[in-house]
Amino acid sequence: MTETRTAAPGDAADDPSAPPATPASRTERAAAVTLSDVARAAGVSLATASRAVNGSARKVRPDLHDRVLAAAASLGYSANGPAQAMARGRTSVVGLVVHDIADPYFSTMAAGVVRAAEERGLVVTIGTTGRDPVKEAQHVAALRGQRASAVVVVGSRTGEAPVQARLAEEVAAFEAAGGRAVLVSQESIPVDTVVLQNERGAGDLARALVGLGHRRFAVLAGPPGLLTARDRLAGFRAGASAAGAQVQDELVVHGDFTRDGGHAAMLSLLDAGFARGCVFAVNDVMAVGAMAALRERGVDLPGAVAVAGFDDISTLRDVTPALTTVRLPLQGIGEQAVHLLLQERAASPRTVHVDGEVVLRASTPDLTTGRPSS
Amino acid sequence: MTETRTAAPGDAADDPSAPPATPASRTERAAAVTLSDVARAAGVSLATASRAVNGSARKVRPDLHDRVLAAAASLGYSANGPAQAMARGRTSVVGLVVHDIADPYFSTMAAGVVRAAEERGLVVTIGTTGRDPVKEAQHVAALRGQRASAVVVVGSRTGEAPVQARLAEEVAAFEAAGGRAVLVSQESIPVDTVVLQNERGAGDLARALVGLGHRRFAVLAGPPGLLTARDRLAGFRAGASAAGAQVQDELVVHGDFTRDGGHAAMLSLLDAGFARGCVFAVNDVMAVGAMAALRERGVDLPGAVAVAGFDDISTLRDVTPALTTVRLPLQGIGEQAVHLLLQERAASPRTVHVDGEVVLRASTPDLTTGRPSS
DNA sequence: CTGTTAGCGCTTTCAT
DNA sequence: ATGAAAGCGCTAACAG
């Protein structure tokens, strides 16, 4: 990045510890107008002002109500959030924890969460883990300290017992403190969860592909530890078997859940002699990496090697050949999570199941007719 | 979305007004352990406990310090954020305001902001405007109420005077209340700004394309009101002229800053008889839409029509033909914004300029050699 | 329906 | 260096 700055060439030293580095605060600040100021200006009591301005179950006489609102407006009053939170014992913050907000899978879900939350006057904070499951628990703990009223943790569990236990513990503590928690992924710990039917979606996809005449399958399976990747692989296998085809073990290659992971996995598959068949990448991003690898190697795509993904990332809908995939309503999933949060916690954890929908496109030709599907 | 739920078929009614719908709170909640509890357990005063646990300029005798920390740990103490914020008069929240968090342009910047902020113990909240510039000001106002310590507003200004004034006003109020504000885009109102050199980048691109032998240019120009779109168009025009080529007015088509906007704009260009030349879409997302349109119409891409974009969205790096574009260090821009926030406010607004870098790829062939560039 | 008042949990002078 | 005490701004009993 080329850059020029008008001043201060030295960046503040980074000491990622102790007291949060509050951004440089201005020296002289205007004393904020408080509710007392408004009350005085309107000639009413603090309590009345509070009831009028910040909503309450109790009613205020219309003329007073208007008088207070007018005073508030003319003074430029804006309620002190922390003070309200303190008095109420809880903020109106929803904490969202994702692996990487730059990843379209997460950012699309985030958009859903934000949309649903903003509609209800809730503020969304975002924490990222960089795929480190331990950080999930840390974020939940921090959110408990912030008195967030709810938390949404998105992202595949690893199934690792200690990590899982730690998250379960923090989530329990969060709920014990009066907050609401929702997980998005798989049913792994006892808390309200939006369960993505990865296994079923992958199974449907496999069956559809067999229906198109594909018989020889390879899978770019993602990280071995990730439950989401594992479920998609398992579902695909099961679906293929059910339809009379098989996924040979040698044709299952693991790799990162990223574009580069898919690229590398595809290359290793090609190096191992795979030259014809249908490749299922457990997510779209990997599928695109695989396509790039095929192109680099001059493999006929989709003639010799067909490719399918999972997620139906919208930014990727214009790749060529168009990618066959399993559509997940990502934004809707984020919204679902918020709906779940808004409901009272039930005696036993609630679950919302979300299905994927197979979308056949040109990357997996219909072998029975010889024409691209769709 | 197919879904099954174990309970509560009816979603909570949506009344986007009055008191923020705090997510359903649990009935009985564990009383949180407070600093007083810790102090008592450690046998010290509240003040000492505060100094030991939550950091302070003042020193605490080592043994007491340890005693307090041990007590805090064993009790599972976690500081009450709102209470701290109230006492200190300020939270450690950085508010991020973007148009659409699902758009990779914004989500990548957001990733940079979050990364830099988390390193410093700052929490990032996210607000979205859905491209409504009025909502930007509203979010800034809300953040002032939340006593956020800083705000980052990302997104093109429209240059509309009243809207601009409103934002300027809110930003001023925010700063007057002691917060730090940074804008990302163009220098439009007097506040610290990360300025993206759209004009220069587009100019560089135009010159590079002329260098490849392109002479006939069309521009998919985005919404007429958006400064970013306008600057990119202006820069491209200027660059082309400087290199001896021209962009005819009839070949400048406006459209949404989205994939569909690019798609529609390209179609109208084709319908108007454009059949050969180089199309500059003012962002990558539009460029991809344009490519899809060309493909649908069976136009030889990049043989008859070459395409270039702007931004270098990473998810789009694998489209075919590979897209020529101007790379913006999006994540770095987000980090820059945070760096700026961390610095004390200067007497006159500070500015950081960020340049784009032309990346020539296969979508704009080198006409001088007949081979694809790069 | 309005007003008075007691905190919410923490930081921070101000003594000691 | 530690402790006691005064708020920060607002809400929610509790009276009137």
Side-chain angles (χ1 to χ4, degrees), chain A residues 258-279:
Chain A
T258 62
R259 183 266 181 205
D260 289 346
H263 186 264
M266 187 70 237
L267 287 183
S268 76
L269 208 49
L270 292 172
D271 288 340
F274 182 84
R276 298 198 71 83
C278 178
V279 174

Side-chain angles (χ1 to χ4, degrees), chain A:
Chain A
M1 167 176 9
T2 327
E3 59 184 77
T4 57
R5 16 173 63 179
T6 56
D11 282 331
D14 295 355
D15 174 13
S17 70
T22 280
S25 55
R26 203 185 161 199
T27 26
E28 23 77 42
R29 71 185 48 162
V33 354
T34 73
L35 191 56
S36 302
D37 299 330
V38 175
R40 195 173 328 112
V44 301
S45 74
L46 227 199
T48 300
S50 171
R51 301 195 262 253
V53 177
N54 298 321
S56 148
R58 305 190 44 177
K59 286 217 124 11
V60 173
R61 217 194 324 148
D63 59 313
L64 285 189
H65 183 96
D66 294 350
R67 194 133 50 91
V68 173
L69 258 48
S74 83
L75 292 177
Y77 170 74
S78 139
N80 183 317
Q84 288 185 306
M86 168 124 92
R88 283 205 263 252
R90 183 145 299 289
T91 64
S92 54
V93 166
V94 174
L96 172 64
V97 180
V98 299
H99 288 322
D100 174 13
I101 189 65
D103 181 324
Y105 178 81
F106 296 110
S107 68
T108 309
M109 277 195 206
V113 170
V114 170
R115 218 181 73 61
E118 281 183 354
E119 252 174 33
R120 295 166 178 77
L122 297 169
V123 174
V124 177
T125 70
I126 154 152
T128 59
T129 68
R131 315 245 166 220
D132 176 358
V134 173
K135 287 189 105 186
E136 285 183 343
Q138 292 171 349
H139 271 120
V140 174
L143 286 163
R144 174 162 59 99
Q146 297 305 319
R147 300 307 188 262
S149 54
V151 59
V152 178
V153 181
V154 181
S156 180
R157 307 296 132 241
T158 59
E160 250 184 86
V163 176
Q164 191 116 326
R166 174 77 201 290
L167 179 61
E169 221 168 77
E170 288 299 351
V171 165
F174 187 89
E175 294 197 308
R180 292 280 291 121
V182 166
L183 256 51
V184 175
S185 243
Q186 38 270 126
E187 241 165 322
S188 53
I189 68 179
V191 58
D192 288 356
T193 304
V194 178
V195 179
L196 309 188
Q197 307 273 52
N198 289 307
E199 200 155 344
R200 184 193 295 191
D204 290 349
L205 175 64
R207 272 184 292 276
L209 292 173
V210 172
L212 292 180
H214 294 274
R215 289 293 178 278
R216 183 150 190 263
F217 295 108
V219 179
L220 273 28
L226 267 197
L227 256 36
T228 297
R230 204 206 56 185
D231 291 348
R232 292 179 183 179
L233 168 60
F236 192 84
R237 279 202 127 116
S241 298
Q246 301 299 328
V247 179
Q248 295 172 35
D249 285 343
E250 316 83 73
L251 297 184
V252 174
V253 186
H254 292 274
D256 259 10
F257 227 31
T258 62
R259 183 266 181 205
D260 289 346
H263 186 264
M266 187 70 237
L267 287 183
S268 76
L269 208 49
L270 292 172
D271 288 340
F274 182 84
R276 298 198 71 83
C278 178
V279 174
F280 168 50
V282 294
N283 73 19
D284 282 0
V285 176
M286 293 184 77
V288 166
M291 284 175 138
L294 291 168
R295 214 167 279 125
E296 284 163 22
R297 290 293 179 86
V299 176
D300 175 17
L301 164 68
V305 174
V307 175
F310 202 114
D311 288 342
D312 197 31
I313 298 298
S314 69
T315 326
L316 262 21
R317 291 198 186 137
D318 287 301
V319 299
T320 35
L323 186 62
T324 285
T325 189
V326 178
R327 172 176 302 162
L328 242 28
L330 297 171
Q331 176 146 351
I333 290 167
E335 291 167 358
Q336 282 294 323
V338 174
H339 287 312
L340 216 39
L341 289 177
L342 260 13
Q343 297 173 217
E344 197 73 39
R345 185 148 84 100
S348 65
R350 231 184 280 271
T351 312
V352 174
H353 293 267
V354 177
D355 278 319
E357 180 197 351
V358 174
V359 183
L360 264 14
R361 301 205 183 97
S363 68
T364 55
D366 184 341
L367 270 22
T368 64
T369 69
R371 293 200 315 269
S373 54
S374 113

Side-chain angles (χ1 to χ4, degrees), chain B residues 104-362:
Chain B
Y105 177 81
F106 296 110
S107 69
T108 311
M109 279 194 204
V113 169
V114 170
R115 217 181 73 61
E118 280 183 355
E119 254 174 30
R120 294 167 177 78
L122 297 170
V123 173
V124 177
T125 70
I126 154 152
T128 59
T129 68
R131 315 244 167 221
D132 176 358
V134 173
K135 286 189 106 186
E136 286 184 343
Q138 291 172 349
H139 271 119
V140 174
L143 286 163
R144 173 162 60 96
Q146 297 305 319
R147 299 307 186 262
S149 54
V151 60
V152 178
V153 181
V154 181
S156 179
R157 306 297 132 242
T158 60
E160 249 185 86
V163 176
Q164 191 116 324
R166 172 76 201 288
L167 179 62
E169 220 168 79
E170 287 300 349
V171 165
F174 187 87
E175 293 196 310
R180 292 280 291 119
V182 166
L183 257 51
V184 175
S185 242
Q186 39 270 127
E187 241 164 321
S188 53
I189 67 180
V191 59
D192 290 354
T193 304
V194 178
V195 179
L196 309 188
Q197 308 273 53
N198 288 307
E199 200 154 345
R200 186 193 293 191
D204 290 348
L205 175 64
R207 273 184 292 275
L209 292 173
V210 171
L212 292 181
H214 294 274
R215 290 291 177 278
R216 182 147 192 266
F217 294 107
V219 179
L220 272 27
L226 266 197
L227 256 38
T228 297
R230 204 206 56 186
D231 290 348
R232 290 179 183 180
L233 168 59
F236 192 84
R237 279 203 126 115
S241 298
Q246 301 301 329
V247 178
Q248 296 172 34
D249 286 343
E250 317 82 74
L251 297 184
V252 173
V253 186
H254 292 274
D256 259 9
F257 227 31
T258 61
R259 182 266 180 207
D260 288 347
H263 185 264
M266 187 69 239
L267 286 183
S268 77
L269 209 48
L270 291 172
D271 287 341
F274 183 85
R276 299 198 71 83
C278 178
V279 174
F280 168 50
V282 294
N283 73 19
D284 282 0
V285 176
M286 291 184 78
V288 167
M291 284 176 141
L294 291 168
R295 212 168 280 124
E296 284 163 22
R297 289 291 178 89
V299 176
D300 176 17
L301 164 67
V305 174
V307 175
F310 202 112
D311 290 342
D312 197 31
I313 297 299
S314 68
T315 325
L316 262 20
R317 288 195 191 141
D318 288 304
V319 299
T320 32
L323 186 61
T324 285
T325 189
V326 178
R327 172 176 300 162
L328 243 28
L330 296 171
Q331 177 146 350
I333 289 167
E335 291 167 357
Q336 284 293 324
V338 174
H339 287 311
L340 216 39
L341 290 177
L342 261 13
Q343 295 172 219
E344 197 74 36
R345 185 148 86 100
S348 65
R350 230 184 281 270
T351 312
V352 174
H353 292 267
V354 177
D355 278 320
E357 179 197 352
V358 174
V359 183
L360 265 13
R361 301 205 182 97

Side-chain angles (χ1 to χ4, degrees), chain B residues 45 47-48 51 58 60-61 64 86-87:
Chain B
S45 74
T48 300
R51 301 195 262 253
R58 303 190 44 177
V60 173
R61 218 193 323 147
L64 285 189
M86 168 125 93

